Amino acid sequence: MKAIVQDQYGSEDALRLREIERPTVGEGEVLVRVHAASIHVGDLLVMAGRPILMRMATGLRRPRQPILGTDVAGTVAAVGSGVTRFKVGDEVFGWTSGAFAEYSSTPEDHLATKPAHLTFEQAAAVGVSATAALQLLRDEGQVKPGQKVLVNGASGGVGTYAVQIAKAFGAEVTGVTSTRNADLVRSIGADHVIDYTRQDFTKGTERYDFILDNVANHSLGAMRRALTPTGVLLPNGGGHQGGGMGRLIRATIASMFIRGQGRPSVKFENAADLAVLAELAEAGRITPVIDRTYPLSDTAAALRHVGTGRARGTVVITVAAPAPGTASQAGAGGAVPALTAGGVA
Ligand SMILES: NC(=O)c1ccc[n+]([C@@H]2O[C@H](COP(=O)([O-])OP(=O)(O)OC[C@H]3O[C@@H](n4cnc5c(N)ncnc54)[C@H](OP(=O)(O)O)[C@@H]3O)[C@@H](O)[C@H]2O)c1
């Protein structure tokens, strides 16, 4: 099969399109014929092996898993012994290890049934970003109807889901974005848009019940000052180069002493939350925003684009079209309008 392989940590220049062995399917695992994968900032960090501490998990000298990519959508090609939830031919989405390849093997509880009306590209764009947004708003923020939620970095991979999920929870949502993305952020449901090139939300008079910060361009203290007395601030990451770890550690320590400081924590590989996201998508409450799609052979260019920090929504890799006649062939169904970074297509 074809796969994007990295033999060593480094930049996109270290990536190669290669013909390699198809993965086997172990007990409790599902082999997915990958139709689409998507990129999140974590892929850049794994590619670079940064922060260095992360290599304890990913391989000290070189990547233990030479194929990048976690967010995936495709068709079940084989199932291992003990698999009960899926059969060959089922359309699925979720997480794997090694998504930038024609086939990928993953435990069955890392997958959920793909909503029929989402294309494989849309379903592949859900994964990590939507899960992070869901858990941070629901579990950490405990966002309730009528609360005021501010999403800093509302046009990015996490932000576009956070705006939609906060709206689905009944919140009044303010999205912070630049002039060029203001219409996009309004189109996904934000009640108010703050253009950060003209206004600094930390210096305004408005107070928020929950602030989700995807950008890390303000101090934690400045953002906490924009909270209501019972409000919560959650910093989510903070840097495409792996430099945000110190900030997250500071936030975690501060959360033990400072009211309003939330402790960011996300549990991935969680099929229950994939099912929640599928339901939200089925109900039309969330629609993945796709910035651009790239063929598998251009994965390096796709990663470079995400690395600019200017992506709008999620960047998707198309791997292989589903076989003719399958339910979702190339996005058939089309009940959900394609939300692209330029607006509703
Ligand atoms: N907790 C978790 O498990 C988890 C999961 C996923 C991601 N993350 C972290 O979350 C952070 C955001 O990820 P992401 O995927 O959303 O990033 P992203 O998609 O790369 O974010 C890009 C977006 O950020 C916007 N942006 C840049 N500077 C901004 C500013 N000053 N104010 C407001 N918006 C700004 C850009 O819009 P303009 O071009 O208009 O500025 C662009 O649309 C990263 O640090 C990532 O590591 C954490």
Side-chain angles (χ1 to χ4, degrees):
M1 69 165 186
K2 290 188 174 52
I4 297 292
V5 178
Q6 65 164 159
D7 297 320
Q8 57 200 27
Y9 293 116
S11 72
E12 293 80 3
D13 298 337
L15 303 179
R16 297 282 175 271
L17 179 66
R18 277 209 205 121
E19 197 66 40
I20 60 166
E21 288 278 306
R22 191 189 285 193
T24 54
V25 62
E27 188 182 344
E29 286 186 340
V30 170
L31 181 70
V32 178
R33 172 77 166 118
V34 180
H35 299 316
S38 79
I39 297 177
H40 57 85
V41 173
D43 295 321
L44 298 174
L45 306 184
V46 176
M47 178 179 73
R50 278 204 300 252
I52 295 284
L53 210 56
M54 188 181 65
R55 297 189 190 192
M56 304 279 280
T58 59
L60 285 181
R61 293 171 64 83
R62 58 181 63 84
R64 207 169 286 137
Q65 160 59 289
I67 308 172
L68 281 174
T70 58
D71 293 353
V72 72
T75 308
V76 174
V79 294
S81 61
V83 168
T84 56
R85 292 174 49 232
F86 300 108
K87 59 181 186 326
V88 171
D90 285 353
E91 298 181 343
V92 293
F93 77 109
W95 302 284
T96 188
S97 172
F100 303 158
E102 289 179 319
Y103 290 86
S104 189
S105 205
T106 191
E108 70 167 329
D109 62 0
H110 292 188
L111 297 170
T113 300
K114 180 179 85 63
H117 65 292
L118 290 191
T119 64
F120 283 105
E121 287 79 4
Q122 289 173 320
V126 173
V128 162
S129 299
T131 304
L134 173 67
Q135 292 187 13
L136 294 170
L137 289 159
R138 181 195 59 193
D139 305 339
E140 305 290 329
Q142 304 198 358
V143 169
K144 296 182 184 55
Q147 287 191 325
K148 290 188 176 175
V149 169
L150 179 136
V151 179
N152 190 29
S155 56
V158 178
T160 48
Y161 285 109
V163 168
Q164 296 181 79
I165 293 170
K167 281 301 293 176
F169 288 170
E172 181 181 331
V173 180
T174 300
V176 182
T177 188
S178 67
T179 316
R180 76 181 182 119
N181 288 326
D183 286 345
L184 166 69
V185 172
R186 264 187 219 104
S187 78
I188 55 174
D191 301 287
H192 316 281
V193 170
I194 293 177
D195 180 343
Y196 70 78
T197 66
R198 294 164 194 215
Q199 195 185 334
D200 177 347
F201 74 88
T202 66
K203 300 202 169 116
T205 52
E206 193 62 73
R207 294 292 173 262
Y208 301 93
D209 299 297
F210 181 70
I211 295 177
L212 176 62
D213 173 37
N214 298 307
V215 186
N217 60 329
H218 298 286
S219 73
L220 297 173
M223 285 190 288
R224 283 197 302 267
R225 285 193 285 280
L227 291 171
T228 61
T230 55
V232 176
L233 162 69
L234 264 187
N236 174 38
H240 292 54
Q241 315 301 327
M245 192 56 77
R247 184 177 169 92
L248 291 184
I249 292 170
R250 279 201 308 283
T252 302
I253 294 168
S255 71
M256 298 176 212
F257 309 103
I258 300 177
R259 201 167 66 169
Q261 181 58 63
R263 186 174 53 85
S265 155
V266 177
K267 296 175 196 71
F268 293 113
E269 298 160 353
N270 171 340
D273 277 351
L274 281 182
V276 170
L277 293 164
E279 267 176 39
L280 285 168
E282 294 277 13
R285 310 304 295 269
I286 59 169
T287 302
V289 176
I290 295 183
D291 176 324
R292 298 180 195 172
T293 59
Y294 292 79
L296 183 65
S297 53
D298 279 351
T299 298
L303 285 157
R304 267 189 211 101
H305 178 52
V306 175
T308 63
R310 300 266 86 88
R312 302 196 281 178
T314 306
V315 172
V316 169
I317 308 290
T318 50
V319 181
T326 54
S328 300
Q329 185 197 351
V336 168
L339 257 186
T340 64
V344 181

